[in-house]
Amino acid sequence: MTLDRISRPGQGPARHRQGLTRQYDPDHRLQPPGRSGTADTPQFPGTVAAAFTRLNATAAARFGVGSDRFAGLVGMAPEHLANDRYRTPASTNIRIWELMIAQAPWHEVSLHMAYQSTLGALGLWDYLITQAPTPLEGLRDAARFVATVADAGTEGLGIEEEGSTSPSATSTPPT
């Protein structure tokens, strides 16, 4: 299983509009066919789930980063963080990570994030793996819906079986 950056050859760096996106927004953009996720999964490039941002903010506090250092970032208002229908800009989360790795090595921050991500911390997405008939089926479901927690514009989850990527087992677009 890999978490890959989605490449965009010839387009240069991806640029995303800043601000909050509501998952139930009637004007949301559905992901085009051939991209990660399913046609009925809303995609909001440049944003991540508020639950993920809450995890990052909690971890930052544990690493000694004062909330005053990131409280003014877009999406950090308590009413946004408490609402799982909001998505915060990926840039907000990147900034929080930058503040954390200024306090501790990247691998230490990563391990801490993995340990604090208890089942349910990322909402129903967490349960896809544990509630599936097999772990592989759960991972396939998680790959289809990775955009519910991650930045649909840059993140994808691919599954390789027996050393080769099968079209039915991957959610990342072909390059």
Side-chain angles (χ1 to χ4, degrees):
M1 175 177 63
T2 59
L3 185 61
D4 299 317
R5 297 266 180 215
I6 296 173
S7 63
R8 296 201 161 131
Q11 292 183 354
R15 300 199 187 276
H16 302 289
R17 178 176 51 91
Q18 291 291 315
L20 299 174
T21 306
R22 299 179 78 129
Q23 290 184 1
Y24 57 85
D25 181 354
D27 295 327
H28 72 271
R29 183 169 62 86
L30 294 178
Q31 185 166 338
R35 297 287 307 269
S36 63
T38 62
D40 60 342
T41 304
Q43 307 296 302
F44 303 102
T47 67
V48 299
F52 189 70
T53 306
R54 284 193 302 267
L55 285 174
N56 285 334
T58 301
R62 289 184 180 149
F63 278 102
V65 178
S67 62
D68 59 318
R69 307 260 325 263
F70 56 80
L73 297 172
V74 176
M76 294 303 295
E79 63 270 19
H80 298 148
L81 286 178
N83 187 340
D84 283 337
R85 291 182 174 230
Y86 278 96
R87 295 182 60 88
T88 55
S91 58
T92 293
N93 289 274
I94 291 168
R95 180 62 184 144
I96 294 171
W97 269 79
E98 288 171 345
L99 293 168
M100 284 192 285
I101 61 172
Q103 301 296 316
W106 184 90
H107 68 277
E108 187 178 324
V109 174
S110 298
L111 285 173
H112 178 76
M113 291 296 291
Y115 288 127
Q116 91 168 22
S117 295
T118 58
L119 188 61
L122 295 177
L124 292 176
W125 189 82
D126 283 354
Y127 291 94
L128 292 172
I129 296 171
T130 61
Q131 299 303 307
T134 67
L136 181 57
E137 288 178 48
L139 288 170
R140 284 185 178 133
D141 287 341
R144 285 184 34 226
F145 297 105
V146 72
T148 61
V149 291
D151 179 356
T154 61
E155 308 298 335
L157 182 63
I159 300 169
E160 276 190 34
E161 294 180 66
E162 298 179 34
S164 65
T165 303
S166 68
S168 64
T170 185
S171 70
T172 56
T175 54

